[in-house]
Amino acid sequence: SHPLWRIDGFTFLNPRLVVSVPKSSWDLKIFSLNMHNCIGGYIDKALRDESWILNVHKLNKAYMNIEICSRKVKEIKKYKNEM
């Protein structure tokens, strides 16, 4: 495998970023509360498999959420819904 990336389940790691899929709706809600953004309102869409929500940490700090629908990035939300 490439030295900068390692795949561990649904977590993709490199030296600066960690991208993961929340394990539960509670994980998504907590991430949304920490980020002060609206991504927690996407729980129902994620549970219906209408979208995938990815959590991104940069240097061990919450950095952004990415919503994926139909294999395309639909939205990226940073702290306080900044794009």
Side-chain angles (χ1 to χ4, degrees):
S1 80
H2 192 282
L4 296 180
W5 293 90
R6 185 181 83 215
I7 298 175
D8 181 19
F10 283 110
T11 301
F12 306 91
L13 306 169
N14 83 15
R16 295 186 187 109
L17 297 176
V18 176
V19 180
S20 62
V21 176
K23 294 178 182 156
S24 68
S25 57
W26 181 248
D27 287 347
L28 182 57
K29 185 69 173 176
I30 293 298
F31 200 88
S32 176
L33 290 172
N34 289 335
M35 292 290 289
H36 300 278
N37 69 19
C38 65
I39 208 76
Y42 294 49
I43 292 171
D44 288 336
K45 287 173 66 175
L47 290 173
R48 291 190 306 263
D49 284 334
E50 293 175 9
S51 68
W52 279 49
I53 307 298
L54 305 177
N55 296 333
V56 180
H57 288 78
K58 184 176 183 179
L59 301 174
N60 296 323
K61 288 182 68 180
Y63 181 57
M64 73 172 71
N65 299 108
I66 301 171
E67 179 188 13
I68 299 182
C69 294
S70 301
R71 298 182 178 197
K72 295 179 182 170
V73 173
K74 182 175 180 181
E75 274 190 299
I76 296 174
K77 297 288 186 182
K78 291 184 178 180
Y79 185 73
K80 293 188 176 179
N81 285 326
E82 294 175 6
M83 307 272 294

